[in-house]
Amino acid sequence: MKFPIKALALALASISYVSFAVAEDSPNKVQRVEVTGSSIKRIVKEGALPVQQISREEIVRSGATNVAELLQNIPAMQGFSVAATANGTNSGGSVFASLHDIGQSYTLVLLNGRRVAPQGSGSSVNLNAIPMSAIERIEVLTDGASAVYGSDAIAGVINFITKKNLQGGQVDASYNAPQQSGGGSSWNTSLTYGFGNLDEDGFNTLISYRHDEQTPLKAKDRDFAKTAYLPVSYNGNNYIFDKTSPSSVPGNATVQFKDSKTNPNKTFNPGLKKNGNCGELNVPSLTTKDACGFDFVNTIEIYPESKRDSLFANTQFKVNDNLKFFGDIALSRYDLTARIAPNAVSINFDKTSPYYTQSIKPYLNAAQDLDVKKVGVTYRTYDWGTRDTQTLTDSNHFVAGAEGEALGWSWNTALTWSRNELEERYVGGYMKDTEFRDMLAKGSFDPFAPIGSQSDATKQLIRNSIFNGAVRTASTTLKGIDAKASSEVFTLPGGAASIGIGADYRDYRYEQSPSANGKIYAFNDIPAYDMHRATYGLSAELLMPIVQDLEVSAALRYDNINKIDNGITGTTMGEDMAASTYKLSARYQPTKSLLIRGSIGTGFKAPDMLDIAQPLVAFGVTQTNTCPFPNTPYCKPATISAYDMLKGGNQSLKPEESEQYTIGFRFEPTSNFSFGADLWDVTITNQVSAVSQELAFSDPAKYASLFTPSAEAGTGDMYWAFKSMSMNIGQSHTQGIDWDFNGNYKFDFGTLSGTLSGTYLIDSSYTRAGTDNDWTDSLGHTGENNAVSFRNIIKLTTALKTGAFNNALTISFRSGYGDTTASVRNLATGKNELITLDVPSYTTMDWQGTYNINKAFEIRAGVKNILNTEPPMSLRTGNGHQNGYDPRYTDPMMRSFYMSGSYKF
């Protein structure tokens, strides 16, 4: 459905009654604070940079159960990772932030103004590490800030600010359940307590603990997500979108002959031949006659099971008015289990195998029987169960520092030690290599038997052959020290000019240790890593009130990033990287009600350590393709197959660079109404990219250097593999407008407030992977990056406060887009066609009611997705095993109800 114009007009009319509320300190006390995006302490006011603030009340009112869900509701957020894609990837449920669709690696996440250890070898912070119960507010700088914070702040900054100087305690609990049965419920509880008054007692300590649990949701419990054999209606025709797998149960067999010219490869399903049907959870293949496709989607979970425990502690000790010591501790454990379809494996055997006599020979003629070379089987190990992966992510963050005033300078310094560590475990569905090969050699199970028909003895052998244990551990450790100071330095006609200076040193170490190599059947070995590099930066910022209504600031930063020390090889890799970046910004307020602001600046980002130093390692498989070099020994037997993909780094990589600007305004014509808009523009060059598999397979001769023979895991057969290699050849350009209307109006019975905000994307273009000047885009359609850049994301939030009873209504809108072009079977003609669906817009409505029993006890109840809107149909591929919709942009829970309570003491 399109976002209703009448509803938009009504929302604007309603908001015209309301005002932009700004909390001010007592006129007798002028407090200077540090604002996200600047190193200078100043009096709080609307600045030259666009900073969106999310208050504690807005956090609670959102009904979000975690930090990631909360941020994903911000219109400026696009291109982020979501937990649901853990079902089909090795993400472990990691969730990252991405501003303006520029990318998660360009969005800096801070906790109380300081960096947190990233996950992986780059700079992206897993939002699961942020302690939600301790958050007081969130500041989102939607403008580049490399000149203040250094590399990776090209898109902007998200700063989570925790509660400070809290006295007393608070207990919170919440439960959420979808209306439709089948799973997906969640609950959480937290306890926060603070003691000591910093101003009166000279100290304060705050401790906050929270526990969350999320139950899984299975694909078969949602009609829009339950099958890989999906009926589709388009332009009056009926189609089938077949995403079923050729690894079926009973397995599909491909017989290879010695004389391939006389006897070309023969593919068929012995179970189909024998029984006349493909059996449970299988359908006749639409691409290969006499073969079957396995409906793997029916076996998966579309939302994973998880548990989270987080503990945050903050202490402050005030020596006097000019000196204070502080410390932060943030600990969390995120335990996620993702369950996907049973394992798809390849099996080889020859004419001496009992499998051949029983299931292959009966379907060959005499000449074929004499000419058999070998038989390959694509098999789904359904009797071993779903592949279950448990990922334990531990985040540990410690900060100790001091701040104060001396000789007219405000200063702040701290030491940081932060680590993100994960352990990946296989806890179901994967087979031990020795035991499974022994079963194959002895014919202990029948790969051509229907589901559930294995003997009791075989079932026991299967149970004994399931691997259960860790496959790898990985960690990223950040050690750092920073110092900054600011002071008024001279006087201009508009007031005192201030300068801010800063320096920081950070040391990163990324490690990975495999623990199951050689133990699991058809398992690509996991590489070991030990990479380390250090970086330091120097910055300066000058804030100048030129005249009373005009303020200008200039920031300059120098960063140096060292070569990578490779602890595995004992060598250094890559080059030292250094760059200077700048930012100029200004705010002009010609009248009390109008503010005009703008900025221009540059940024740079060092490539991730693996982009530089990663050896050539297994990296999944390509989409199904024809052989890149037909009639060569390394072609797979089937005409269309998935080939292994390898990934490697490049020691010659240079830093990515950016140029950006913003220009905007805020207007408050009355005390009841305000609105504003900011135009932003970001161009990135020298972007780290790689030749895409689509481009390489479309012209293999041109990209012959990116193909190499490689042994297939499990069988050891040599086939072509595609190499994805990092290189500095990409460019991107992103431009858009952030806008909002705010207001409130006081009636006799209460106060109505509202905010209508959105992001309008003007351009989201980039060079095709592997090219430096061949431009494409993903604006309003699924691009070659398999992602969508939404033209419009809009959010309307209204709240009615009437004393003890309060209500809030939120409407979220995401514009429609052109889907992935997909191959479908026309049921009328029996032929395949290419179609591109128009995915409609997605609108959800949420309500929350609050009842304050007294000053200490509060109850909230809410409904998410009141209209029970289903995710629109999408034929996208990748980003998890879900089918029929896109889990990145929609919520499979549909209508759900929640209740929460809060008690203060």
Side-chain angles (χ1 to χ4, degrees):
M1 60 178 288
K2 294 183 178 180
F3 191 79
I5 299 300
K6 290 184 179 180
L8 178 60
L10 179 61
L12 289 172
S14 300
I15 290 175
S16 67
Y17 283 102
V18 296
S19 69
F20 181 62
V22 178
E24 297 182 354
D25 292 313
S26 166
N28 297 323
K29 181 182 179 182
V30 178
Q31 183 180 8
R32 294 182 179 274
V33 299
E34 186 174 322
V35 179
T36 299
S38 175
S39 61
I40 298 173
K41 282 194 172 184
R42 65 189 72 182
I43 299 172
V44 178
K45 62 180 179 180
E46 191 76 41
L49 302 179
V51 178
Q52 301 177 12
Q53 288 206 25
I54 305 171
S55 68
R56 181 65 193 174
E57 170 57 27
E58 291 172 316
I59 293 172
V60 176
R61 195 169 61 199
S62 71
T65 58
N66 54 65
V67 169
E69 182 183 351
L70 175 66
L71 287 185
Q72 288 160 10
N73 290 328
I74 300 175
M77 286 289 170
Q78 284 205 56
F80 43 77
S81 299
V82 297
T85 57
N87 294 97
T89 68
N90 68 342
S91 72
S94 301
V95 186
F96 305 99
S98 171
L99 281 165
H100 291 153
D101 199 35
I102 296 172
Q104 61 196 36
S105 62
Y106 306 98
T107 301
L108 179 62
V109 173
L110 304 174
L111 181 61
N112 287 329
R114 287 186 166 84
R115 290 173 177 260
V116 179
Q119 181 162 309
S121 70
S123 58
S124 300
V125 172
N126 185 353
L127 296 178
N128 289 318
I130 304 298
M132 185 168 180
S133 61
I135 300 300
E136 178 65 23
R137 70 182 188 277
I138 304 171
E139 295 181 351
V140 181
L141 171 63
T142 57
D143 189 19
S146 288
V148 176
Y149 295 106
S151 180
D152 66 23
I154 288 174
V157 180
I158 302 170
N159 189 10
F160 295 92
I161 300 170
T162 59
K163 300 172 182 177
K164 299 287 194 306
N165 202 28
L166 177 72
Q167 290 86 43
Q170 181 171 324
V171 177
D172 296 277
S174 178
Y175 178 77
N176 181 90
Q179 174 180 306
Q180 191 169 337
S181 62
S185 63
S186 64
W187 66 272
N188 65 74
T189 184
S190 66
L191 170 64
T192 301
Y193 188 76
F195 55 92
N197 187 301
L198 188 62
D199 295 323
E200 298 177 3
D201 303 321
F203 78 95
N204 176 262
T205 297
L206 176 145
I207 300 175
S208 182
Y209 168 77
R210 175 166 165 148
H211 177 79
D212 298 77
E213 291 199 16
Q214 170 74 55
T215 62
L217 179 64
K218 296 182 178 180
K220 64 182 182 181
D221 291 325
R222 292 293 184 268
D223 288 339
F224 57 82
K226 66 183 180 181
T227 181
Y229 198 76
L230 187 67
V232 179
S233 296
Y234 180 73
N235 285 346
N237 297 317
N238 293 320
Y239 300 93
I240 289 292
F241 176 58
D242 183 11
K243 201 183 172 185
T244 58
S245 168
S247 296
S248 59
V249 51
N252 291 313
T254 297
V255 184
Q256 298 182 53
F257 300 97
K258 299 171 185 175
D259 185 358
S260 59
K261 293 183 179 180
T262 303
N263 293 315
N265 294 340
K266 180 180 177 69
T267 298
F268 62 95
N269 188 288
L272 173 60
K273 291 282 192 180
K274 180 180 180 180
N275 303 314
N277 62 76
C278 287
E280 183 183 358
L281 295 181
N282 292 269
V283 295
S285 172
L286 294 181
T287 58
T288 306
K289 184 181 178 182
D290 296 329
C292 298
F294 179 70
D295 191 357
F296 69 92
V297 170
N298 191 266
T299 68
I300 70 171
E301 293 175 349
I302 56 175
Y303 204 90
E305 174 186 2
S306 66
K307 296 179 182 180
R308 180 191 290 105
D309 289 279
S310 60
L311 175 68
F312 177 81
N314 167 268
T315 188
Q316 301 177 81
F317 178 69
K318 185 176 181 180
V319 178
N320 52 48
D321 289 341
N322 295 319
L323 178 61
K324 180 178 72 174
F325 294 98
F326 60 88
D328 288 346
I329 299 175
L331 310 175
S332 71
R333 164 163 281 202
Y334 185 55
D335 180 351
L336 179 137
T337 301
R339 299 175 179 91
I340 60 174
N343 213 348
V345 299
S346 297
I347 298 170
N348 286 344
F349 57 84
D350 57 25
K351 294 177 66 174
T352 63
S353 169
Y355 299 138
Y356 179 81
T357 304
Q358 297 169 6
S359 301
I360 303 301
K361 184 175 180 179
Y363 308 107
L364 302 178
N365 59 40
Q368 289 173 329
D369 177 40
L370 291 173
D371 194 39
V372 169
K373 179 181 179 182
K374 67 176 180 179
V375 179
V377 182
T378 52
Y379 177 58
R380 185 70 59 166
T381 57
Y382 185 88
D383 293 288
W384 278 257
T386 55
R387 283 171 286 176
D388 304 343
T389 302
Q390 179 187 29
T391 305
L392 299 173
T393 305
D394 291 308
S395 300
N396 304 292
H397 180 72
F398 301 89
V399 174
E403 64 179 0
E405 307 282 337
L407 302 176
W409 288 78
S410 298
W411 58 271
N412 183 301
T413 184
L415 296 169
T416 300
W417 186 94
S418 188
R419 172 176 289 172
N420 182 281
E421 184 174 14
L422 67 83
E423 180 182 30
E424 187 175 358
R425 302 173 177 174
Y426 287 170
V427 293
Y430 291 90
M431 300 86 68
K432 299 176 183 176
D433 187 74
T434 300
E435 285 79 352
F436 188 72
R437 290 185 186 277
D438 184 65
M439 294 176 70
L440 282 174
K442 295 177 179 178
S444 300
F445 73 97
D446 185 0
F448 304 112
I451 287 175
S453 63
Q454 304 288 352
S455 68
D456 290 341
T458 295
K459 290 177 182 178
Q460 184 58 50
L461 289 173
I462 288 173
R463 286 191 288 270
N464 295 339
S465 70
I466 295 177
F467 177 87
N468 194 319
V471 296
R472 70 177 178 119
T473 58
S475 67
T476 306
T477 304
L478 163 65
K479 301 175 185 177
I481 181 172
D482 64 82
K484 50 194 171 186
S486 62
S487 176
E488 295 180 352
V489 287
F490 54 85
T491 302
L492 291 171
S498 300
I499 189 171
I501 56 175
D504 56 73
Y505 174 85
R506 299 188 301 275
D507 180 281
Y508 292 93
R509 186 169 189 175
Y510 174 64
E511 299 172 278
Q512 178 171 280
S513 299
S515 50
N517 288 352
K519 298 179 181 179
I520 304 173
Y521 181 77
F523 182 73
N524 288 309
D525 284 351
I526 294 174
Y529 299 128
D530 183 2
M531 300 180 184
H532 163 269
R533 72 178 173 190
T535 175
Y536 68 85
L538 304 171
S539 63
E541 181 182 3
L542 183 62
L543 177 66
M544 297 173 290
I546 306 299
V547 293
Q548 184 175 358
D549 301 321
L550 176 62
E551 179 181 280
V552 176
S553 65
L556 181 66
R557 182 178 172 94
Y558 173 81
D559 279 285
N560 184 281
I561 298 175
N562 292 347
K563 299 176 183 178
I564 297 170
D565 292 321
N566 190 325
I568 300 295
T569 63
T571 60
T572 59
M573 307 184 74
E575 302 293 335
D576 290 337
M577 301 180 186
S580 296
T581 54
Y582 74 87
K583 189 175 191 76
L584 299 173
S585 59
R587 65 182 301 277
Y588 175 55
Q589 192 167 357
T591 68
K592 185 177 180 180
S593 59
L594 177 63
L595 168 70
I596 300 171
R597 63 188 175 197
S599 70
I600 185 172
T602 60
F604 94 109
K605 179 184 177 301
D608 295 355
M609 285 189 277
L610 284 181
D611 283 332
I612 296 172
Q614 184 177 43
L616 198 61
V617 298
F619 193 65
V621 296
T622 68
Q623 299 174 8
T624 52
N625 293 284
T626 57
C627 181
F629 305 105
N631 303 317
T632 59
Y634 305 119
C635 291
K636 288 198 169 185
T639 303
I640 299 179
S641 298
Y643 286 83
D644 283 348
M645 187 151 62
L646 309 175
K647 187 174 180 63
N650 179 356
Q651 293 193 55
S652 300
L653 288 182
K654 305 298 181 184
E656 298 173 301
E657 299 175 347
S658 71
E659 295 181 352
Q660 52 222 74
Y661 66 84
T662 64
I663 184 169
F665 71 92
R666 294 214 61 82
F667 185 49
E668 188 177 346
T670 72
S671 60
N672 299 93
F673 179 62
S674 74
F675 63 93
D678 292 281
L679 170 69
W680 48 267
D681 185 287
V682 181
T683 299
I684 302 177
T685 56
N686 277 343
Q687 203 162 19
V688 175
S689 178
V691 174
S692 67
Q693 57 174 292
E694 293 82 4
L695 186 61
F697 275 90
S698 69
D699 194 351
K702 180 178 179 179
Y703 299 103
S705 63
L706 297 180
F707 291 93
T708 184
S710 179
E712 181 184 56
T715 66
D717 292 340
M718 297 292 291
Y719 297 119
W720 290 114
F722 169 66
K723 298 187 294 184
S724 178
M725 309 296 291
S726 302
M727 57 188 74
N728 280 116
I729 56 175
Q731 298 185 65
S732 67
H733 177 245
T734 315
Q735 186 183 71
I737 298 174
D738 295 333
W739 56 268
D740 65 271
F741 295 82
N742 303 270
N744 65 58
Y745 185 80
K746 191 172 183 179
F747 296 93
D748 293 338
F749 55 84
T751 301
L752 174 68
S753 62
T755 297
L756 180 66
S757 60
T759 294
Y760 177 79
L761 210 57
I762 299 171
D763 187 24
S764 181
S765 57
Y766 48 89
T767 53
R768 287 185 164 87
T771 70
D772 60 356
N773 58 7
D774 186 7
W775 288 82
T776 185
D777 70 82
S778 56
L779 184 57
H781 64 93
T782 304
E784 295 182 9
N785 57 357
N786 195 30
V788 179
S789 301
F790 290 89
R791 174 74 77 178
N792 274 300
I793 299 180
I794 302 172
K795 183 179 180 181
L796 170 65
T797 301
T798 59
L800 178 63
K801 295 184 177 182
T802 57
F805 291 96
N806 301 307
N807 288 270
L809 186 69
T810 301
I811 301 175
S812 300
F813 168 82
R814 194 183 292 268
S815 57
Y817 61 92
D819 199 16
T820 303
T821 298
S823 177
V824 293
R825 176 62 61 92
N826 189 315
L827 295 181
T829 65
K831 296 181 179 180
N832 287 349
E833 298 178 13
L834 294 177
I835 65 171
T836 304
L837 296 182
D838 289 322
V839 180
S841 61
Y842 183 64
T843 302
T844 59
M845 182 183 299
D846 305 333
W847 167 84
Q848 183 185 94
T850 305
Y851 176 50
N852 296 293
I853 297 175
N854 51 46
K855 291 183 178 180
F857 192 19
E858 177 183 271
I859 294 177
R860 294 178 186 253
V863 184
K864 296 181 179 180
N865 196 352
I866 296 174
L867 303 178
N868 205 27
T869 305
E870 280 193 0
M873 178 179 286
S874 169
L875 306 185
R876 71 98 181 93
T877 58
N879 301 106
H881 284 188
Q882 297 90 334
N883 193 51
Y885 74 106
D886 199 319
R888 297 171 295 177
Y889 311 130
T890 54
D891 183 4
M893 300 296 181
M894 300 178 62
R895 182 186 293 130
S896 62
F897 302 88
Y898 68 90
M899 179 170 286
S900 64
S902 174
Y903 178 71
K904 297 178 181 179
F905 58 94

